[in-house]
Amino acid sequence: MRVTVGVSGGIAAYKAAELVRALQRQDVEVHVVMTESACRFVQPLTFAALTGHRVITSLWNEIDAGSAAAGQSGIEHIDEAQWADVLVVAPATANILAKFAHGIADDFLSTMYLATNAPVLVAPAMNVNMWEHPATRANLEILRQRGVRVVEPGAGDLACGMVGAGRMAEPETIADAVLNALGRRHDLAGEIVLVTAAGTREALDPVRFLGNRSSGKMGYALADAAESRGAKVILISGPSALHPPAHCEVAKVTTADQMREAVLERMAEATLVIKAAAVADYRPVNFSGQKLKRSGPITLELAPTEDILAEVVRRRRPGQLIVGFAAETENSMENGRAKLLRKGVDAIVVNDVSAEGVGIDADVNAATFLTSTTAIELPEMPKRKLADRILDEILTLRRPRSLVVELDEETPQQKVLSESVSPASVQRQLIVE
Ligand code: CTP
């Protein structure tokens, strides 16, 4: 597998070295192409030493006449474009995104982009205002429409001193996206995955609502991961500022009721339902058509919403896997286990949302993947990576797996030598030695 890492001129350029290493650890052969401004941040020598290959920094390198005889064009950007199984640009500046979007080919990287038929990924990194600028948004939209995969940046402290979105995704996350693009994993081909994401909003009056802090990041990461592993994805999302993955079907909803309707309408065709949405448990009994006026204390009367997940379980068809999420602030495992049984799902992803900087609205999350027989700890990691780990665990529910488990100290000759786990039942095969 051969990957060209394009490095454009941003402070995150130094992180491209970690990306190169992460790819090499997966036996990927890496070439590096740098723009002129990238060379001001990091020396090409760094990448040359890491990859063992000359780093391409200009369109105007000497043409190697001998390469034509070796079946190459002798024109370096064409050869490189054909060599690469994937082109990934990390960091991708606003400038290189604009060039890619508009077909400007005035340096090696932008020329190679036009010349390659390989999948292209970009990992943007820039100041929050540049990231949010309509020009950047429009350029990204063009690229997405064209099938370029965008490894979304995270939010946090930026090198410019501002706080917000625009920080390049972690090298490990980018490497995972590259491996997915390389088709290393196509293990969800044939699955139809329905994912719910983000929070719902229950209106009080024309301007106010009851809502929650869910951003949709976990659900969107799951949709993206499932899609890149070959699944057809239906994403049903509450309000969220995120961009859905390029090829998934999206239904945007606002209230719990609308989410319920959308889920029930689409669930029959799904082979796997993952309910990552933070659905409101209550909605105001009365909606005021006019903006409520300020006047002393008020009491809101709330009515419970339908439990969509419970309804999905009631309507499940044979073979359909159903996975819920549990957001907990105390006794996570006990509450998670109780929810697993109460809701009758195949598995539940338990999040402790009380921890600082993890879970709701954060870029990272930690969770426990709970089934009736197992509790798999998924330590803190970027949500996109966690999404892949959750899908890995869900897939183990599809196929029986073998474990070797010591059973009972008092009868050491008895061991569970194999345990096959299926969503509906757990069979233990006791083998007496
Ligand atoms: N859920 C749902 N419909 C609701 C509320 C929750 O489908 N009206 C789903 C969520 O999408 C999630 C799971 O149920 O997959 C658990 O949600 P959570 O808010 O953790 O639990 P609740 O069922 O609301 O229970 P509690 O508030 O008592 O923790």
Side-chain angles (χ1 to χ4, degrees), residues 326-346:
E328 303 295 342
T329 55
E330 54 178 355
N331 305 329
S332 320
M333 292 313 288
E334 275 161 61
N335 289 337
R337 241 176 245 292
K339 226 170 253 184
L340 175 80
L341 297 177
R342 192 172 73 236
K343 303 231 178 197
V345 287
D346 296 298

Side-chain angles (χ1 to χ4, degrees), residues 183-408:
R184 280 281 176 88
R185 288 202 268 183
H186 219 61
D187 47 5
L188 285 171
E191 298 272 356
I192 301 176
V193 182
L194 187 154
V195 181
T196 68
T200 59
R201 294 178 178 178
E202 311 301 321
L204 281 164
D205 69 17
V207 294
R208 302 185 180 95
F209 59 83
L210 293 178
N212 59 65
R213 284 172 41 221
S214 170
S215 60
K217 285 176 187 165
M218 193 65 241
Y220 279 57
L222 282 160
D224 187 51
E227 188 180 281
S228 55
R229 287 165 74 162
K232 174 185 168 193
V233 177
I234 304 164
L235 175 65
I236 298 177
S237 171
S240 168
L242 301 173
H243 291 276
H247 304 291
C248 72
E249 246 179 81
V250 187
K252 285 268 192 179
V253 298
T254 305
T255 65
D257 254 6
Q258 290 168 356
M259 183 166 276
R260 174 177 170 271
E261 227 170 89
V263 170
L264 297 184
E265 198 181 301
R266 305 307 306 272
M267 72 166 282
E269 64 188 284
T271 56
L272 165 62
V273 178
I274 309 177
K275 293 222 66 252
V279 187
D281 287 327
Y282 291 92
R283 68 166 159 271
V285 170
N286 298 309
F287 170 75
S288 162
Q290 303 303 324
K291 185 175 168 227
L292 290 167
K293 290 289 174 204
R294 181 189 174 89
S295 63
I298 57 167
T299 304
L300 292 175
E301 197 186 337
L302 303 176
T305 57
E306 295 287 337
D307 186 334
I308 308 169
L309 187 52
E311 208 167 340
V312 166
V313 170
R314 282 199 298 276
R315 294 178 184 221
R316 82 190 303 169
R317 58 178 177 75
Q320 205 168 33
L321 282 177
I322 301 173
V323 177
F325 269 66
E328 303 295 342
T329 55
E330 54 178 355
N331 305 329
S332 320
M333 292 313 288
E334 275 161 61
N335 289 337
R337 241 176 245 292
K339 226 170 253 184
L340 175 80
L341 297 177
R342 192 172 73 236
K343 303 231 178 197
V345 287
D346 296 298
I348 204 148
V349 182
V350 185
N351 289 279
D352 178 352
V353 290
S354 63
E356 272 284 303
V358 183
I360 292 192
D361 201 23
D363 292 324
V364 293
N365 203 1
T368 307
F369 186 86
L370 258 189
T371 68
S372 55
T373 52
T374 54
I376 313 281
E377 284 300 327
L378 303 171
E380 186 179 319
M381 63 186 100
K383 282 184 174 170
R384 181 59 178 73
K385 191 170 180 68
L386 185 65
D388 266 322
R389 289 288 293 107
I390 290 169
L391 292 173
D392 292 344
E393 291 307 326
I394 291 174
L395 276 176
T396 67
L397 302 175
R398 276 254 183 270
R399 37 183 136 79
R401 60 193 170 135
S402 294
L403 299 174
V404 177
V405 184
E406 296 256 351
L407 240 198
D408 187 344

